[in-house]
Structure formats: C-alpha cells, structure tokens
Amino acid sequence: MAYWLLKTEPEEYSYSDLEHNGSTVWNGVSNALALKHLRTMTIGDLALIYHTGKERRIIGVAEVTSQPYPDPKLDDVKRVVVDLQPVQRLPQPVSLAQIKKDSSFADFDLLRLPRLSVVPVSESHWERLLELSKQ
C-alpha cells in the first residue's frame, strides 16, 4: 500500500462532497509529474485530502478503489483518473502552517513542490500527519 496527498479546491469539490457522494472519480489532473503519480496508484492505497485556497489544510482520508484509467470525459489516454471513497474525516484538520513548523517535514514534497496536486507521502510522514490531527 502507498500513501498520497491529493489537493482540491474545496469550492469545486470538498471532502464533505466526497462523504456525501460516497465515491468520486478523481479527475482534473494535468501536470505530468502528478499524472505519473496517479498512474502508480493501486486499489487500497490511501490518500489525504488537502483543501487548497484559503483553507490550506488536510481534512480527511480517502481510499483508492480503482486502478488508474483514462479519463472518460477526455480524448487523451495520458490523462488518467482513479476512483476514491471516503475513509474518515481527521479528528482535527492539519494546516499547512503546522506542517511547515515541523522539522520532520523538511523533505516533504508538499513543501518542496507546492504546486503539485498529487504528492507521495512516506509512511513516516503519514504517521506524523495523523498524530498532528489528534492534537
């Protein structure tokens, strides 16, 4: 199992929307590196859902429920999507400010590549982020 962080504009699609819908197709990714990450996802991988914009915080956990497949709404086999379902809302959101203050995240791609919408998360970062959500 791998861990990921997926960014979304909460005004367009929020974690609450995912909870309400029960599942979604994670689409709209166009950056080459982000698409490369999407292509490596497998069923059972877990993803932190990060609200961008004014919020800038991790809200909840989702599970990848499909292998990557071409976006059915686009005529471009390079643009892939995955299906997600909600797992749980974090007890407390984890803000970007909290992450920046924590030295254990110095090599975290969320900070190193801030414009990337699909970010791999190491197991140690995953565990630390879940710890921060309980504080």
Side-chain angles (χ1 to χ4, degrees):
M1 174 182 12
Y3 300 107
W4 305 96
L5 182 140
L6 302 174
K7 293 181 180 179
T8 184
E9 289 283 343
E11 300 81 28
E12 291 180 28
Y13 196 85
S14 69
Y15 192 77
S16 292
D17 294 326
L18 180 58
E19 289 175 318
H20 179 262
N21 297 338
S23 66
T24 194
V25 174
W26 200 261
N27 59 14
V29 177
S30 58
N31 175 279
L33 182 55
L35 284 167
K36 179 181 175 183
H37 292 321
L38 261 183
R39 283 187 203 96
T40 64
M41 290 183 177
T42 60
I43 295 170
D45 283 358
L46 295 176
L48 295 165
I49 304 301
Y50 178 93
H51 284 181
T52 60
K54 294 177 183 171
E55 288 190 34
R56 295 183 186 169
R57 59 190 186 159
I58 300 168
I59 300 297
V61 178
E63 180 180 356
V64 177
T65 59
S66 74
Q67 295 300 116
Y69 59 95
D71 189 330
K73 295 182 179 179
L74 300 175
D75 189 24
D76 183 353
V77 295
K78 294 178 183 175
R79 298 278 300 272
V80 296
V81 298
V82 294
D83 297 336
L84 294 179
Q85 69 182 18
V87 174
Q88 69 180 27
R89 184 174 288 269
L90 295 181
Q92 294 292 320
V94 179
S95 71
L96 181 60
Q98 285 175 277
I99 295 166
K100 285 182 174 181
K101 286 181 193 174
D102 191 320
S103 62
S104 67
F105 294 110
D107 62 341
F108 189 22
D109 281 352
L110 176 66
L111 303 180
R112 292 183 342 92
L113 304 166
R115 298 186 58 80
L116 197 60
S117 64
V118 179
V119 178
V121 179
S122 69
E123 188 171 346
S124 62
H125 286 156
W126 181 271
E127 290 172 3
R128 181 67 184 133
L129 289 164
L130 293 182
E131 281 177 28
L132 289 172
S133 77
K134 295 173 185 166
Q135 294 181 357

